[in-house]
């Protein structure tokens, strides 16, 4: 057996680096920028009103109330063509450009208009710049907007749109294929004959990929047959940046994934000192990383978390590869036995009264997927007899 750290380093060292490309804004959410973004123009591009009200000269409001002659109306999107002279005001809407001559806005709530609509009475004294959003208040032309290495969230995309970027230089979104192997596996609601089970790894792994923002590619379900596995894997690496298989990497007589990957790839078979997810195959086929994840449903998901997710994040240009970890107080104890491995217990994590609590989420067998489905954390249980009620444990927060 090798340590988790050694296995992870082996995987991370061999994955290819991220590839930069020009990505349309509509496809860029969650990607990492591969170059500095500079504002081409100012945001806002012109001084405009922050309120519905009246644009005027601040000096005219000294010693309220002040009666000012209304000389026009400016809607958002309008081009100001009337100058505001002393003793005058222009009706202005939020976002409309400040007219020449005006240096302040009074909100409509602080004004009253005469019955004939010709005069506005301003009830407050305001300073220069009142409710005016000046040009470049958010971004100046030429200013660095986002550094290289920024993960693009919804707000970032809004900013990029505001400076007129139709595309952004970012690390390409990965396409990752998922393949299930096993003669016992079937798909869909059909009645199971004895010996059969339904393929649960593929939907779970595809969803884990979707969740982390890569394109998931369903490579299907393949029988325990060397030729079929070879064909499916070669198809997969031809169209994907990485491939995940599950099953067929243990010590069984029909674990053909191992045999095939040995023949067509440069693979390493690892027995990692963890539970679940001890067996892991990793290597390159035609230069494409292939993760041979274990078949047991919980193992395949935990293996994804510990190996595939950080590797795929690195390949996507992320520097921060890890899920957050917290110290949590164990509720009800988390049992295990000493076996030379680090165990990852499926737990429910709760934040209450300023601290984290972690309790078992249910059956801890590697075939008991329900407790993995409901878990919000993986408790890192060092070798030994487990962690007693009230003791602290490190927990990886999921999702
Ligand atoms: P294997 O590593 O192929 O021997 O599989 C280990 C265990 O995981 C066996 O009980 C398999 O039936 C089960 N298994 C393998 N692949 C899947 C899958 N895609 N969905 C659900 N269970 C699976
Ligand atoms: Mg199998």
């Amino acid at each position: 057996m090798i340590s988790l750290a050694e296995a992870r380093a082996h995987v991370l060292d061999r994955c290819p680096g991220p590839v930069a490309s020009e990505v349309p804004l509509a496809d860029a959410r969650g990607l990492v920028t591969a170059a500095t973004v500079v504002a081409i123009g100012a945001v806002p591009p012109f001084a405009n009103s922050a309120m519905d009200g009246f644009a005027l000269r601040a000096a005219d409001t000294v010693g309220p109330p002040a009666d000012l002659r209304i000389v026009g109306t400016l809607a958002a999107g309008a081009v100001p063509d009337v100058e505001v002279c002393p003793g005058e005001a222009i009706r202005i809407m939020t976002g409309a450009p400040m007219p020449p001559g005006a240096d302040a806005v009074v909100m409509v709530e602080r004004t009253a208009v005469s019955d004939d609509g010709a005069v506005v009475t301003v009830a407050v004294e305001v300073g220069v710049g009142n409710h005016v959003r000046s040009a470049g208040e958010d971004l100046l032309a030429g200013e660095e907007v986002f550094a290289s290495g920024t993960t693009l969230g919804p707000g970032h995309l809004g900013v990029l749109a505001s400076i007129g970027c139709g595309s952004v230089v970012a690390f390409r979104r990965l396409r990752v294929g998922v393949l299930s192997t096993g003669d016992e596996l079937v798909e869909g609601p059909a009645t199971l004959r004895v010996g059969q089970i339904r393929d649960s790894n593929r939907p779970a792994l595809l969803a884990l990929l979707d969740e982390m923002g890569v394109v998931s590619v369903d490579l299907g379900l393949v029988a325990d047959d060397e030729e079929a596995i070879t064909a499916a894997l070669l198809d997969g690496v031809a169209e994907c940046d990485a491939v995940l298989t599950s099953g067929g990497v243990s010590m069984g007589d029909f674990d053909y994934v191992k045999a095939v990957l040995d023949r067509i790839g440069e693979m390493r078979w690892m027995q990692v000192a963890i539970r679940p997810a001890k067996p892991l195959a990793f290597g390159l086929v035609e230069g494409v990383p292939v993760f041979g994840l274990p078949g047991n449903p919980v193992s395949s998901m935990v293996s994804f978390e510990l190996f595939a997710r950080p590797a795929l994040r690195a390949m996507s240009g992320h520097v921060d590869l890890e899920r957050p970890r917290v110290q949590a107080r164990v509720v009800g104890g988390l049992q295990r036995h000493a076996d030379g491995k680090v165990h990852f217990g499926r737990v429910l994590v709760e934040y209450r009264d300023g601290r984290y609590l972690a309790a078992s989420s249910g059956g801890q067998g590697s075939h008991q997927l329900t407790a993995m489905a409901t878990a919000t954390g993986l408790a890192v249980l060092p070798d030994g007899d487990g962690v007693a009620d009230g003791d602290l444990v490190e927990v990886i927060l999921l999702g």
Side-chain angles (χ1 to χ4, degrees):
M1 283 197 300
I2 61 172
S3 71
L4 174 60
E6 182 183 340
R8 280 177 52 109
H10 177 85
V11 169
L12 290 171
D13 285 351
R14 278 158 191 78
C15 283
V19 179
S21 69
E22 186 91 26
V23 183
L25 224 51
D27 301 332
R29 186 166 76 88
L31 298 185
V32 177
T33 56
T36 306
V37 177
V38 174
I40 323 153
V43 180
F46 51 86
N48 66 91
S49 177
M51 291 285 168
D52 296 326
F54 288 86
L56 41 70
R57 292 167 176 258
D60 281 344
T61 66
V62 175
D67 288 343
L68 304 174
R69 204 159 61 80
I70 301 173
V71 294
T73 298
L74 281 173
V79 180
D81 50 2
V82 179
E83 187 176 347
V84 177
C85 298
E88 294 178 350
I90 284 185
R91 199 185 283 278
I92 195 166
M93 308 304 143
T94 305
M98 285 298 287
D103 58 14
V105 170
V106 174
M107 62 200 292
V108 72
E109 292 87 339
R110 299 278 180 273
T111 65
V113 175
S114 62
D115 287 345
D116 63 359
V119 173
V120 58
T121 302
V122 177
V124 288
E125 181 173 331
V126 296
V128 170
N130 188 64
H131 295 323
V132 177
R133 307 190 284 211
S134 56
E137 220 170 67
D138 191 12
L139 285 171
L140 295 170
E143 187 177 337
E144 177 178 319
V145 184
F146 301 128
S148 179
T150 302
T151 301
L152 296 171
H156 298 92
L157 299 181
V159 170
L160 291 172
S162 77
I163 58 171
C165 289
S167 62
V168 59
V169 179
F171 294 114
R172 215 163 48 76
R173 195 181 299 284
L174 301 179
R175 288 170 59 81
V176 182
V178 180
L179 186 67
S180 288
T181 68
D183 281 345
E184 75 280 28
L185 300 177
V186 293
E187 189 173 355
T191 309
L192 300 175
R193 64 163 173 70
V194 175
Q196 287 184 324
I197 59 166
R198 295 193 179 88
D199 176 6
S200 57
N201 292 353
R202 201 157 33 107
L205 292 169
L206 288 166
L208 283 167
L209 291 169
D210 288 343
E211 202 176 61
M212 66 174 290
V214 306
V215 176
S216 62
V217 180
D218 188 349
L219 300 175
L221 173 57
V222 186
D224 288 318
D225 172 271
E226 278 209 44
E227 235 172 84
I229 294 171
T230 305
L233 273 168
L234 289 176
D235 285 352
V237 298
E239 65 160 320
C240 297
D241 300 297
V243 170
L244 312 178
T245 70
S246 71
V249 297
S250 312
M251 305 300 224
D253 289 348
F254 305 96
D255 287 339
Y256 292 125
V257 174
K258 253 173 120 157
V260 170
L261 286 174
D262 263 337
R263 191 158 44 72
I264 64 172
E266 297 161 48
M267 302 303 295
R268 177 170 173 196
W269 305 97
M270 290 171 267
Q271 298 290 315
V272 189
I274 57 175
R275 182 191 168 110
K278 181 172 77 159
L280 172 72
F282 175 80
L284 303 176
V285 176
E286 314 278 355
V288 174
V290 176
F291 295 81
L293 307 180
N296 277 306
V298 178
S299 309
S300 70
M301 287 188 74
V302 170
S303 194
F304 178 93
E305 281 298 329
L306 298 178
F307 301 107
R309 192 174 182 280
L312 296 173
R313 277 181 70 79
M315 289 172 67
S316 305
H318 290 280
V319 177
D320 171 18
L321 306 182
E322 304 303 330
R323 297 265 202 198
R325 289 177 182 232
V326 297
Q327 293 289 319
R329 205 160 287 283
V330 169
V331 177
L334 294 169
Q335 275 93 46
R336 54 159 297 172
H337 57 277
D339 58 3
K341 300 178 200 159
V342 176
H343 288 204
F344 291 89
R346 278 72 74 197
V347 292
L348 299 169
V349 188
E350 202 188 326
Y351 189 69
R352 199 195 300 162
D353 301 332
R355 62 186 192 178
Y356 287 96
L357 304 174
S360 169
S361 63
Q364 296 286 314
S366 60
H367 58 297
Q368 290 172 299
L369 192 52
T370 310
M372 179 71 196
T374 54
T376 50
L378 292 175
V380 184
L381 305 173
D383 197 17
D385 299 325
V387 182
D389 181 66
D391 283 354
L392 284 176
V393 69
E394 186 175 41
V395 177
I396 302 169
L397 297 180
L398 300 172

